């Protein structure tokens, strides 16, 4: 299951709209009002995934915001623009699982589900 996934996203963005349409049960979607809150929620583990433009979640940007821990990035196109998902890399099993869920969603879409 996807229980335990907590995804932070800027509210009112195309990322937010796209995720609302595809997140499965058990996933908590946490919209935030400002970019700084996205970073803060990732640092304090309110969210174990943040979604945003590739630039916004790049390692140098996260480091400038005070995050210096490990993480992983996967590139996923959910809408007409590229969306990236970041998970903490100190939990390789969860990061692999999150990537698997995204890949399963793509496969289901291609199959017409």
């Amino acid at each position: 299951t996807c229980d335990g996934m907590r995804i932070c996203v800027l509210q009112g963005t195309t990322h937010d709209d796209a995720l609302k349409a595809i997140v499965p049960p058990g996933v908590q979607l946490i919209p935030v009002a400002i970019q700084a809150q996205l970073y803060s929620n990732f640092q304090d583990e309110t969210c174990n995934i943040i979604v945003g433009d590739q630039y916004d979640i790049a390692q140098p940007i996260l480091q400038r915001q005070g995050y210096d821990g490990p993480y992983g990035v996967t590139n996923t196109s959910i809408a007409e623009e590229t969306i990236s998902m970041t998970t903490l890399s100190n939990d390789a099993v969860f990061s692999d699982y999150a990537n698997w869920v995204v890949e399963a969603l793509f496969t289901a879409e291609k199959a017409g589900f």
Side-chain angles (χ1 to χ4, degrees):
T1 70
C2 297
D3 293 341
M5 280 189 180
R6 298 175 315 278
I7 303 173
C8 281
V9 61
L10 284 173
Q11 69 187 56
T13 63
T14 55
H15 301 110
D16 187 22
D17 292 339
L19 287 170
K20 285 177 185 173
I22 65 168
V23 293
V27 173
Q28 184 180 4
L29 190 58
I30 303 171
V32 298
I34 59 172
Q35 192 81 28
Q37 189 66 47
L38 190 75
Y39 302 130
S40 174
N41 283 3
F42 189 60
Q43 285 182 273
D44 68 15
E45 297 186 21
T46 298
C47 298
N48 48 21
I49 298 172
I50 58 174
V51 176
D53 293 330
Q54 289 177 346
Y55 173 82
D56 295 329
I57 62 172
Q59 183 177 9
I61 301 301
L62 289 173
Q63 287 173 336
R64 272 187 240 140
Q65 298 302 316
Y67 181 75
D68 63 355
Y71 69 97
V73 176
T74 183
N75 296 326
T76 303
S77 181
I78 296 173
E80 291 182 16
E81 61 190 75
T82 302
I83 299 175
S84 298
M85 179 174 70
T86 301
T87 62
L88 297 169
S89 68
N90 63 348
D91 187 351
V93 172
F94 183 77
S95 294
D96 288 346
Y97 180 75
N99 189 51
W100 176 84
V101 168
V102 171
E103 293 300 325
L105 291 169
F106 288 141
T107 301
E109 181 181 33
K110 287 179 185 176
F113 289 98

